[in-house]
Amino acid sequence: MMLQRRADLQRTGNPWLTKLPKDWQLLRLKFLCEINPGKSEIASMKLDTSVSFLPMELIGDDGTLTLTETRELGQVYAGFTYFREGDVVVAKITPCFENGKGAICKGLVNGIGFGTTELHVLRPKSFLDNRFLYYITHSELFRNTGTALMTGAAGQKRVPPSFLADFEIGVPSVEEQRAIADFLYEQTAKIDALIDKKRQLIALLQEKRTALISHAVTKGLDPTMPMKESGVAWLGEMPAHWTLLRLKYVSKIQSGLTLGRDLRNRETIRCPYLRVANVQDGYLDLDEITYVDILPHEVDRYRLQHGDVLMTEGGDFDKLGRGYVWDSQIDDMLHQNHVFAVRVDRHCIKPHYLAHLTASLHGKNYFTSTSQQTTNLATINQQKLNNFPIPLPPIKEQQEILNLIAVSSAYFKRLLTLTADAISKLEEYRTALISAAVTGQIDVRPHVAPAPSPTFPETLEFPGK
């Protein structure tokens, strides 16, 4: 759709908001809404009244609320943030604020809600449309200004209430506010639908890449070669000339360093060590490296060697046993006891082949079926890892399979990068569109008649603008 820039813009005295339409008023939020209203208005309600409850994880960065949790009023009246139907909530802590967590409160049980203390609440007055206010809080101007004014220690910075109170916005008539909200609802829905399709494409590409690798490392590259039963239920047939071996027959598993030992009054040296957080699915995250004190004679025992296949002992179900090859990126790197270092016999199996095999559907099936599982996590011990069944082709064929995986992975990586870039551009456009609309930079008014000037109650005063 063609967007028309408004021609009646004039400069303001606000360094953040430089231009506004002439018929808009520049006002602070404290004159337009209640900020963090008190709960005295519900003090007479029965304490067993059911109300909605919102921890931060149930508040989306796209304006959605997941209203699956309820509490009795008496359980949440003290110690939680109060809001009611129609209020606009905004996350105040980093990085939730920057990510856009916030929403219009709709569908609350008995019209009442309580939630995390990391929320600010805005209750618009009658001359401020709550949808227009919500889009204000999602504008680039609001987010950038709030981020610049955050207070507190690193990792715990928060947007202070004073930022909300003194934040100036351009206020058109209620009719134009509603027109802007209608326009943004329609346009952002289209953008969100495109973003959702792109994310579905990413999931499909990742699924296809995993399927291709899984087929290559368990079935080979030649569909005409004779097959035989592997004896592994989920694996089915494998090429007849391949051998099925347990990992323990082609490798040595090195366990890692146990942390927390008392080494006081002993001579130690300081070395970097690899944690579970560093070993991701298909790559290593070496941005944050931790160091540990260790006895000098223990360094060789726990040092990683070039070509070691790193595998995690525990984690989420889909990441259990994830493997990646250590390429000596950092000298004298040790590893903690929750990361196994698998040192393979390179005459039998290539390290990268084993890494792809553990990440394949075969690997995931094995680790999931043999792990110890709790509600959210799973762990696998060294004995189970030793017994991992490997459908093993000759070394030359392993290299051919690795070559195909390298070419296909580069292709998928390019497609994934292009799709991720497209999502990023759509998200930037969404933010820019919201920012332009709520500051009057584009004209969304019906063109049948000029919009009336904003009117406010005669008793309302705006001192100290």
Side-chain angles (χ1 to χ4, degrees):
M1 102 177 252
M2 294 293 293
L3 300 180
Q4 181 179 346
R5 184 176 177 85
R6 286 187 66 141
D8 58 340
L9 300 177
Q10 62 179 356
R11 291 197 169 274
T12 73
N14 186 317
W16 298 92
L17 184 58
T18 56
K19 290 184 178 181
L20 276 180
K22 293 179 180 179
D23 58 347
W24 289 31
Q25 292 198 32
L26 185 64
L27 300 170
R28 296 181 186 179
L29 279 180
K30 63 183 177 183
F31 303 125
L32 300 168
C33 55
E34 292 182 70
I35 299 171
N36 298 321
K39 44 193 144 180
S40 58
E41 63 187 20
I42 59 168
S44 60
M45 290 183 68
K46 294 182 178 180
L47 295 180
D48 62 354
T49 302
S50 292
V51 298
S52 292
F53 184 74
L54 282 174
M56 187 65 79
E57 60 266 23
L58 297 185
I59 303 171
D61 56 11
D62 56 355
T64 57
L65 294 178
T66 304
L67 297 173
T68 54
E69 293 195 27
T70 60
R71 298 282 191 277
E72 289 187 355
L73 179 60
Q75 296 176 304
V76 295
Y77 190 84
F80 293 96
T81 301
Y82 161 67
F83 42 87
R84 73 183 187 198
E85 194 79 8
D87 288 350
V88 176
V89 293
V90 179
K92 63 183 177 184
I93 191 169
T94 187
C96 298
F97 176 81
E98 298 96 312
N99 293 342
K101 274 185 174 282
I104 300 172
C105 296
K106 294 185 290 186
L108 303 178
V109 175
N110 291 311
I112 302 296
F114 282 80
T116 169
T117 57
E118 301 296 353
L119 290 176
H120 283 310
V121 180
L122 300 173
R123 182 169 298 164
K125 297 181 180 179
S126 59
F127 42 81
L128 185 64
D129 184 85
N130 64 351
R131 296 176 304 149
F132 180 77
L133 175 61
Y134 164 74
Y135 286 119
I136 287 283
T137 66
H138 266 259
S139 67
E140 190 174 18
L141 175 65
F142 183 86
R143 296 288 164 180
N144 288 349
T145 309
T147 300
L149 297 176
M150 278 184 164
T151 60
Q156 293 291 314
K157 289 189 173 183
R158 293 174 175 85
V159 172
S162 59
F163 156 68
L164 298 174
D166 294 330
F167 186 74
E168 288 185 306
I169 68 170
V171 187
S173 66
V174 174
E175 291 79 10
E176 189 169 354
Q177 292 175 40
R178 291 169 181 161
I180 290 170
D182 290 341
F183 166 80
L184 288 175
Y185 179 82
E186 178 184 350
Q187 296 303 314
T188 57
K190 293 177 181 177
I191 297 170
D192 290 342
L194 287 173
I195 291 174
D196 187 57
K197 287 182 179 179
K198 298 291 184 185
R199 287 176 176 157
Q200 289 177 30
L201 177 58
I202 285 178
L204 180 62
L205 288 170
Q206 291 171 332
E207 182 180 320
K208 285 185 174 296
R209 178 182 179 274
T210 299
L212 185 147
I213 293 174
S214 297
H215 188 275
V217 297
T218 59
K219 307 297 180 185
L221 304 180
D222 184 358
T224 66
M225 70 176 64
M227 306 293 282
K228 67 180 180 183
E229 283 296 328
S230 66
V232 179
W234 58 79
L235 190 55
E237 292 185 332
M238 69 180 193
H241 66 285
W242 290 17
T243 305
L244 189 73
L245 292 175
R246 301 291 175 180
L247 181 60
K248 60 186 176 183
Y249 296 122
V250 293
S251 72
K252 175 186 175 183
I253 298 177
Q254 176 175 287
S255 57
L257 176 68
T258 301
L259 305 179
R261 297 180 302 165
D262 186 357
L263 298 177
R264 288 176 295 181
N265 302 322
R266 303 184 67 178
E267 181 183 353
T268 61
I269 60 175
R270 198 162 181 79
C271 292
Y273 76 97
L274 209 66
R275 301 165 295 137
V276 171
N278 300 123
V279 185
Q280 297 298 313
D281 199 3
Y283 69 98
L284 293 179
D285 182 355
L286 302 179
D287 290 341
E288 293 186 14
I289 296 299
T290 307
Y291 287 77
V292 64
D293 293 324
I294 187 173
L295 301 174
H297 71 273
E298 294 180 319
V299 173
D300 287 342
R301 162 69 179 82
Y302 298 111
R303 182 191 282 125
L304 293 174
Q305 294 184 12
H306 188 86
D308 284 350
V309 181
L310 305 171
M311 301 179 66
T312 55
E313 176 190 46
D316 299 334
F317 295 123
D318 62 333
K319 299 179 180 65
L320 183 64
R322 60 193 175 195
Y324 197 75
V325 179
W326 178 250
D327 289 326
S328 301
Q329 293 93 328
I330 299 174
D331 292 336
D332 293 327
M333 176 66 82
L334 314 181
H335 63 108
Q336 73 170 110
N337 60 320
H338 297 301
V339 176
F340 296 115
V342 182
R343 201 157 292 156
V344 300
D345 179 351
R346 300 193 188 187
H347 294 96
C348 298
I349 184 170
K350 290 180 173 291
H352 286 89
Y353 190 84
L354 176 61
H356 285 304
L357 193 60
T358 60
S360 71
L361 297 175
H362 165 56
K364 292 181 185 299
N365 283 333
Y366 176 78
F367 294 126
T368 301
S369 64
T370 59
S371 64
Q372 292 182 320
Q373 301 179 5
T374 60
T375 303
N376 298 314
L377 299 174
T379 59
I380 189 165
N381 58 35
Q382 187 167 332
Q383 180 183 1
K384 298 292 186 183
L385 183 56
N386 264 318
N387 287 323
F388 176 54
I390 301 175
L392 192 65
I395 282 287
K396 181 180 178 182
E397 192 172 346
Q398 290 179 40
Q399 188 58 58
E400 292 171 353
I401 291 172
L402 289 175
N403 292 342
L404 172 71
I405 290 175
V407 172
S408 62
S409 292
Y411 170 74
F412 280 110
K413 183 178 180 180
R414 180 173 177 273
L415 291 180
L416 288 167
T417 300
L418 290 173
T419 307
D421 288 346
I423 290 175
S424 180
K425 287 181 171 60
L426 284 168
E427 290 174 336
E428 290 175 5
Y429 175 68
R430 186 183 192 277
T431 300
L433 184 65
I434 292 173
S435 299
V438 299
T439 56
Q441 306 304 300
I442 55 177
D443 196 348
V444 303
R445 296 171 297 177
H447 294 286
V448 295
S453 298
T455 56
F456 302 97
E458 294 182 359
T459 57
L460 186 66
E461 297 181 356
F462 306 105
K465 281 175 54 183

